Amino acid sequence: MSASATAHLHTTGLHCQSCSMLVQMELEDLPGVTSAVSDFRTGMTDVVYDPELVTIESMVAAVVAAGYGAELAE
Ligand SMILES: [Cu+2]
């Protein structure tokens, strides 16, 4: 039984569908992330994750490591 939560990240620096795909792949590579959907038009990335396995900080770090900006959207 694992917990599930959704984080809304404001991602910056995305200009096309490839950027969205890359961000999604990097996030989905993190253990505990179930799915990530990124829209380069709005800059919003919705991440479904298990809060016991992965932190917002690790998600932000993964996006930043891929060359983009990210912060938790309120
Ligand atoms: Cu791009």
Side-chain angles (χ1 to χ4, degrees), residues 15-16 18-19:
H15 8 67
C16 66
S18 299
C19 294

Side-chain angles (χ1 to χ4, degrees), residues 27-53:
L27 287 168
E28 287 174 353
D29 274 352
L30 293 173
V33 171
T34 306
S35 70
V37 177
S38 185
D39 186 337
F40 73 92
R41 295 177 211 82
T42 62
M44 289 305 298
T45 301
D46 298 328
V47 188
V48 178
Y49 69 106
D50 182 342
E52 290 175 8
L53 297 178

Side-chain angles (χ1 to χ4, degrees), residues 7-11 27 43-45 47 56 59-60 63 70-73:
H8 303 285
L9 299 180
H10 183 236
T11 39
L27 287 168
M44 289 305 298
T45 301
V47 188
I56 301 290
M59 297 176 204
V60 168
V63 175
E71 65 179 16
L72 188 63

